[in-house]
Amino acid sequence: LAGDLLMMCSSEKPDMKEVDENGQKIDAAFFKEDDLPLLHDGRPRWADQIICVEFKRHETNNDLFDDRDEEQADANSQARKEARGQIITYAEQVFRVQQRTALFMLLVVGRNFRVIRWDRSGAIVTRALDYVEHSGVLCGLLWRMSLQSDEALGVDPSATRLRAEDTDYAEMDEAAKALDSDLVTEERVLTEAEVRAGVQVFKYVREWFRLSLHPAWPRYRVEVPDGDKTRLLLIGQPLFYAHGMAGRGTRGYIALDCSSKRFVWLKDAWRVHYDLVDQEGTILALLNDKHVRNVPTLLCHGDIRNQTTDTPRDTLNFREESPLRHHMHYRIVEREVAMPLSEFQHGKQLVSIVLDAIVGMYAPFTNILNTFLMDYVAHWDAHDNAGIMHRDVSGGNVLIYPRVEYDPDTNDMFIRWTGLLADWEMSKPVWEKEEFLRPRQPPRTGTWQFLSVAMLSSEPGPIEVPDEMESFLYIILYHGLRYLKSNCTDVPSLLEGFFDAYNLDENGVYTCGDAKAAAIEDKGQVQVRRGVQLVFDSPLDSIFKKLLPRFKARYKVMEYEKS
């Protein structure tokens, strides 16, 4: 019935933990007949699934959807929600491991079946049909599926799956081998031999690329537009991926450039696709042209073969009443392969790295406060020189990038860990013409944990420079709490209460949690418990002691102006 597609059970045991750390086991899936030798162990084989299949018992509450009129339907019952959540995680796993534009799933509940089509905007679901009474429909469906090309079944044609016998596959293995010339990452003075060797690869870059080549994870050769040409990159497992099925689905890779043979950073995402929303690469090119410091260097970028999500096909232009968002497949390549901020080694280095995202020149630690207030760089250059507001300052967007620098006083070359302010996809011009001053994207912009108290209010206004400065302060606070010693004896609870907590106003709008609001608007200090101020017993204390009251003063002024 299904031609060269083979359906096999896959619920005996989970895939390898390197592929699926959650150990999920979908009931069955269709595979290509060519992959048959690999499919005898009963694992889901997420990297090879073409069409997913899930079976449920006949009870009504096992059907994830309800075809009855809205007044009679109970599609939001707890059992249905849990079942929907299960298959959403299945679809998410396929999109995470494979290079996909869409995914078809066959859902069988008792004698009824449905077909679900997933993309990054959501899902389209057919009505349930009894396959005994309508056997011709099911048989015809299976036959037609077998006639479709891989692209029609949702496989991304801009990504070529690599096999062990391919030349590019072997080239990735060769590039992953450590070299004696690879630079140790720690901050230090370079030896004469390292200086003579010239530009080399940092050890962490090659090591992370090697770890991305796990045998159970698929490798691909992907296309990225580069002006009127196409650049080819080789990738394995993503170093970073965003959770959730609907949304951008961002994945970050250490990639090997097929032409230059150098390691680069590749971000693959489904960007929001509305009028007036610029590509991140367009913004980054402007920042580079304006010589904005401490931002990534753009190599190439572009939309991928005009691939868009079909689920919101009737909402191509933003409508506030539509919950669906329109997305376009997009890739961007940057020169710098940076480390997450969580890799910082001590408090002084943490503040220095964050300051690189906002400060002009590196200042001695005793001068950090004055520099913080007076001399912004990546953030201020972008705002003042390029007219760009970042609008998503968060811990994940401030990165560590080791640079080789020259000290004229000692005539030494040394490695210094610097900060990069990355991920400019949510940014927008500071000065817009009046006719363009309308929402560019539907929901509230930014990362909840690092948004200012003002942006977490019931009626947030446009993001301003003080809001982003407040976000930078939260980045230092979060990483200080999580990774440095303090007088807090229950760090998880404080992190959750300050950064994750929320309230609901009378209109059902999520607003700022009590702990953050109290620290900024009322007390001007962070408390580990009632009446006990957070203390690091380090120069960090002086930063919070001087800055938190200033933000408190800002909110007093805002409250006065509002009244």
Side-chain angles (χ1 to χ4, degrees):
L1 289 177
D4 64 348
L5 291 179
L6 177 70
M7 191 181 83
M8 296 190 66
C9 294
S10 58
S11 59
E12 295 181 16
K13 50 187 175 181
D15 221 326
M16 295 184 179
K17 64 179 181 179
E18 290 81 5
V19 176
D20 181 16
E21 59 186 14
N22 296 317
Q24 302 174 98
K25 297 179 290 185
I26 194 170
D27 291 326
F30 284 94
F31 300 87
K32 288 290 187 180
E33 198 169 17
D34 294 341
D35 292 328
L36 181 60
L38 303 174
L39 303 174
H40 288 302
D41 58 0
R43 297 181 188 272
R45 296 286 179 181
W46 297 107
D48 301 301
Q49 292 188 19
I50 300 299
I51 298 169
C52 303
V53 183
E54 179 71 358
F55 294 97
K56 298 291 184 184
R57 292 191 302 273
H58 183 62
E59 289 83 355
T60 300
N61 62 358
N62 280 326
D63 191 348
L64 287 62
F65 308 96
D66 199 325
D67 295 335
R68 292 176 295 176
D69 294 338
E70 187 173 347
E71 293 79 9
Q72 300 175 313
D74 61 345
N76 290 321
S77 69
Q78 187 60 33
R80 293 179 190 269
K81 286 183 178 180
E82 292 176 358
R84 282 199 299 273
Q86 182 185 44
I87 67 165
I88 288 172
T89 61
Y90 293 158
E92 179 185 352
Q93 180 64 20
V94 173
F95 271 79
R96 180 183 303 154
V97 176
Q98 299 184 31
Q99 300 296 320
R100 284 274 185 169
T101 60
L103 172 69
F104 288 92
M105 181 181 291
L106 181 63
L107 174 64
V108 182
V109 183
R111 285 179 28 165
N112 295 325
F113 76 95
R114 299 177 185 270
V115 177
I116 308 173
R117 183 192 180 278
W118 302 89
D119 62 25
R120 284 298 182 183
S121 289
I124 301 172
V125 187
T126 66
R127 289 184 174 272
L129 280 180
D130 187 315
Y131 61 77
V132 176
E133 295 180 4
H134 303 279
S135 58
V137 176
L138 179 58
C139 293
L141 172 68
L142 296 174
W143 175 248
R144 285 171 172 78
M145 285 193 311
S146 72
L147 300 178
Q148 302 303 307
S149 65
D150 288 351
E151 182 177 358
L153 292 175
V155 177
D156 182 1
S158 73
T160 302
R161 176 79 177 269
L162 300 178
R163 304 294 179 175
E165 62 272 15
D166 292 329
T167 302
D168 285 339
Y169 193 101
E171 186 171 340
M172 296 176 77
D173 287 334
E174 188 65 25
K177 294 179 181 178
L179 300 178
D180 292 339
S181 59
D182 290 345
L183 288 176
V184 176
T185 312
E186 285 72 21
E187 291 187 309
R188 59 191 175 84
V189 176
L190 296 181
T191 65
E192 291 185 8
E194 289 173 328
V195 173
R196 286 195 302 269
V199 179
Q200 299 297 329
V201 175
F202 281 106
K203 282 191 173 182
Y204 76 89
V205 176
R206 199 182 302 275
E207 175 65 12
W208 287 353
F209 181 74
R210 183 187 66 80
L211 293 175
S212 76
L213 305 184
H214 190 278
W217 200 279
R219 303 184 193 184
Y220 289 93
R221 181 177 60 247
V222 299
E223 304 173 1
V224 184
D226 187 4
D228 56 357
K229 300 180 295 183
T230 298
R231 187 174 298 208
L232 299 178
L233 303 175
L234 307 180
I235 59 172
Q237 182 177 0
L239 189 66
F240 162 83
Y241 59 83
H243 293 278
M245 182 59 221
R248 292 176 178 80
T250 304
R251 293 174 292 181
Y253 299 87
I254 298 179
L256 182 64
D257 191 320
C258 289
S259 57
S260 69
K261 309 303 179 185
R262 295 195 176 195
F263 296 116
V264 295
W265 181 252
L266 167 68
K267 185 162 79 170
D268 180 291
W270 288 79
R271 68 181 186 90
V272 289
H273 185 44
Y274 295 107
D275 294 339
L276 308 180
V277 177
D278 294 321
Q279 298 172 332
E280 182 180 2
T282 301
I283 298 165
L284 198 53
L286 173 62
L287 297 176
N288 291 165
D289 289 343
K290 296 291 185 179
H291 306 291
V292 173
R293 291 159 284 179
N294 300 333
V295 299
T297 305
L298 176 70
L299 295 179
C300 62
H301 75 110
D303 294 328
I304 306 303
R305 298 194 181 194
N306 201 35
Q307 295 169 354
T308 60
T309 51
D310 288 339
T311 301
R313 65 183 67 188
D314 295 327
T315 57
L316 293 178
N317 295 312
F318 167 62
R319 297 204 313 258
E320 289 191 11
E321 68 272 16
S322 173
L324 300 177
R325 306 180 76 185
H326 192 60
H327 293 270
M328 170 80 77
H329 195 190
Y330 177 75
R331 294 188 180 120
I332 179 172
V333 182
E334 299 165 356
R335 177 179 299 161
E336 295 84 1
V337 179
M339 298 184 290
L341 184 57
S342 57
E343 295 289 326
F344 77 94
Q345 303 296 301
H346 49 79
K348 178 179 178 180
Q349 191 180 67
L350 167 65
V351 176
S352 170
I353 290 164
V354 174
L355 287 176
D356 275 341
I358 53 177
V359 170
M361 297 187 65
Y362 178 72
F365 188 71
T366 55
N367 229 7
I368 279 177
L369 180 63
N370 289 335
T371 310
F372 185 95
L373 294 173
M374 296 173 59
D375 191 16
Y376 307 95
V377 170
H379 182 270
W380 186 252
D381 274 359
H383 179 276
D384 197 42
N385 297 341
I388 299 293
M389 182 76 74
H390 189 280
R391 301 204 315 148
D392 189 17
V393 173
S394 65
N397 293 339
V398 175
L399 306 174
I400 302 171
Y401 184 61
R403 296 183 190 272
V404 176
E405 299 183 350
Y406 173 69
D407 185 347
D409 295 330
T410 62
N411 203 34
D412 288 327
M413 302 291 291
F414 64 98
I415 296 175
R416 183 172 76 85
W417 285 19
T418 65
L420 282 183
L421 184 56
D423 293 334
W424 292 82
E425 62 194 82
M426 304 298 293
S427 64
K428 74 171 188 177
V430 177
W431 302 285
E432 287 188 325
K433 294 182 179 180
E434 185 175 350
E435 60 266 29
F436 293 150
L437 293 178
R438 62 179 180 82
R440 294 165 148 248
Q441 301 177 33
R444 179 188 271 147
T445 297
T447 302
W448 178 274
Q449 289 82 356
F450 301 98
L451 285 173
S452 69
V453 172
M455 293 309 301
L456 294 177
S457 65
S458 297
E459 298 179 355
I463 294 180
E464 299 177 346
V465 171
D467 295 304
E468 305 224 303
M469 294 301 102
E470 190 176 328
S471 295
F472 281 117
L473 187 64
Y474 293 148
I475 292 173
I476 297 175
L477 175 61
Y478 176 89
H479 288 80
L481 267 172
R482 185 166 181 182
Y483 299 106
L484 299 175
K485 292 182 179 180
S486 71
N487 66 334
C488 181
T489 58
D490 189 359
V491 172
S493 295
L494 181 55
L495 287 173
E496 181 180 6
F498 193 96
F499 292 97
D500 296 330
Y502 61 87
N503 288 303
L504 284 174
D505 68 8
E506 61 275 10
N507 298 316
V509 176
Y510 290 95
T511 61
C512 186
D514 294 335
K516 181 187 283 190
I520 299 298
E521 294 182 313
D522 181 23
K523 298 180 175 64
Q525 61 178 232
V526 179
Q527 295 189 347
V528 296
R529 56 185 179 275
R530 185 180 297 275
V532 179
Q533 184 176 352
L534 173 67
V535 175
F536 290 97
D537 196 22
S538 78
L540 280 178
D541 295 329
S542 64
I543 292 179
F544 294 118
K545 182 178 180 180
K546 292 180 180 179
L547 288 183
L548 284 171
R550 295 186 181 223
F551 286 110
K552 174 183 175 181
R554 179 204 177 202
Y555 284 95
K556 293 298 183 183
V557 172
M558 292 170 61
E559 182 180 357
Y560 173 79
E561 291 177 343
K562 186 176 181 180
S563 63

